[in-house]
Amino acid sequence: MTAKRFFTHPVGIMISASLATFLWGSAFPFIKLSYELLDIHSNEIGEQILFAGYRFFLASMLIFLFFLFRNREMRFRQDTLKPVIKIGLFQTFLQYVFFYIGLSMSTGIQGSIIAGTTSFFQMVLAHILYPDDRMNRRKTVGLIVGFLGVIAVNLTKGDFQLQIGFGEILLLFAMFSGGFGNILAKEGAKRMEIAYLTSYQMLFGSIGLLMIGIIQVGPFPFSVSFTSLFILFYLAFLSAAGFILWNNVMKYNQVGKVSIYLFLVPVFGTFLSAILLGEELHLFVFIGLALVTAGIWIINKPKK
């Protein structure tokens, strides 16, 4: 089966998009564990950005090595410099700079809910950019149902008060940057292989993150253990595998059709946090999963 046939088949879309969001969801508990092991606190933005820089730099190296061992051509092409830097700027660098700074100024629950707006931004951008991918009543209903699922998942995490401050605005910028970066990657995939595009955008994006982190806190302010190194490698792996899967899904499908799957990220994150960190699992989490699944079905159900 060719890549295009797999990533455009309904089962292939479901498997690849769900696996990508599962991998990204698993980042939540593993980042918490790594912060504990490396003694990184919630207000230490420089250390968080530096850690993210190492994570994405290592992710790009993993992709390079994997495809070089398979005798794939990964040498950088000068004609791809501009689009790769642009994708790395939005999909990696700006998204995570805005995310870490915004999250430090916001509550965890608001950050989790705002993270669900990536789907909204992607679908709105697709509506503007692609004449055959317009918003309609079915997509709108599916988007609302899915977003209600994200809210339901977060209802038990603390007192939720709707407020928009500077932190929340930065988080919205982070989600817009991620959504716009995904659109840019979809366009870039028309002239570059997904592995090439993903590895180099992560490389350029991580260099920017590392520069900010090193300027603020130095190149290596952490006390490293075997466990923390293992977690760093896993976070790099999930970033590499997740972005390759997701960029393939975006390449072969309408943005409005697959963006709804991003609502699964906080749901998977909550489930895995309960398993790995012993956090309590409430009924609302299962309600949220049901709503997100319903939103996916509404958008992707066959037309009569």
Side-chain angles (χ1 to χ4, degrees), residues 36-304:
E36 290 177 11
L37 291 168
L38 297 173
D39 196 31
I40 300 175
H41 301 103
S42 60
N43 62 333
E44 294 177 337
I45 300 170
E47 285 86 347
Q48 293 174 16
I49 291 176
L50 181 66
F51 182 77
Y54 283 124
R55 169 189 168 189
F56 287 107
F57 181 82
L58 183 56
S60 68
M61 293 299 104
L62 289 177
I63 299 173
F64 280 130
L65 290 174
F66 178 75
F67 284 97
L68 283 175
F69 281 131
R70 296 185 62 192
N71 295 319
R72 295 275 291 275
E73 178 59 56
M74 294 294 288
R75 185 168 48 191
F76 186 72
R77 304 195 308 270
Q78 191 67 32
D79 63 303
T80 64
L81 178 64
K82 186 175 179 180
V84 164
I85 287 181
K86 189 183 295 185
I87 295 167
L89 175 66
F90 286 95
Q91 200 171 48
T92 298
F93 178 73
L94 287 178
Q95 178 178 189
Y96 286 93
V97 168
F98 286 142
F99 178 78
Y100 284 120
I101 297 175
L103 196 60
S104 70
M105 300 178 180
S106 180
T107 62
I109 180 172
Q110 293 214 139
S112 297
I113 291 175
I114 290 173
T117 60
T118 303
S119 298
F120 169 78
F121 285 127
Q122 282 190 187
M123 292 173 78
V124 170
L125 286 168
H127 176 83
I128 297 170
L129 297 173
Y130 304 114
D132 62 341
D133 201 358
R134 303 289 191 188
M135 288 292 292
N136 53 37
R137 186 172 61 181
R138 182 161 51 89
K139 289 181 181 179
T140 303
V141 171
L143 190 64
I144 292 171
V145 171
F147 192 62
L148 287 174
V150 174
I151 294 175
V153 167
N154 288 277
L155 280 177
T156 56
K157 293 185 179 179
D159 295 329
F160 175 62
Q161 296 178 348
L162 182 61
Q163 58 181 24
I164 298 294
F166 187 61
E168 286 73 30
I169 291 172
L170 288 179
L171 286 171
L172 286 171
F173 274 125
M175 298 310 111
F176 175 81
S177 295
F180 186 56
N182 289 340
I183 297 288
L184 291 175
K186 178 179 176 67
E187 291 301 304
K190 295 177 181 178
R191 53 186 292 201
M192 292 177 274
E193 287 193 358
I194 292 296
Y196 176 94
L197 180 154
T198 304
S199 58
Y200 278 106
Q201 74 86 2
M202 281 186 173
L203 176 62
F204 287 118
S206 67
I207 289 172
L209 294 171
L210 287 170
M211 287 176 61
I212 290 180
I214 290 171
I215 289 171
Q216 290 192 327
V217 297
F220 212 75
F222 314 118
S223 297
V224 178
S225 65
F226 175 80
T227 307
S228 61
L229 277 176
F230 173 80
I231 292 175
L232 175 61
F233 269 90
Y234 175 71
L235 288 169
F237 163 77
L238 73 86
S239 298
F243 271 105
I244 284 179
L245 282 169
W246 185 254
N247 285 340
N248 269 295
V249 171
M250 289 283 290
K251 176 180 179 178
Y252 293 113
N253 297 279
Q254 289 185 333
V255 177
K257 186 177 181 181
V258 298
S259 295
I260 188 72
Y261 279 94
L262 292 174
F263 285 138
L264 287 171
V265 175
V267 178
F268 283 138
T270 302
F271 271 109
L272 293 169
S273 294
I275 295 169
L276 297 172
L277 304 178
E279 296 181 1
E280 191 173 355
L281 205 58
H282 293 273
L283 176 63
F284 281 106
V285 177
F286 295 95
I287 295 173
L289 177 60
L291 287 170
V292 171
T293 304
I296 293 171
W297 177 80
I298 289 169
I299 288 179
N300 290 279
K301 68 178 180 178
K303 294 181 180 179
K304 294 182 178 179

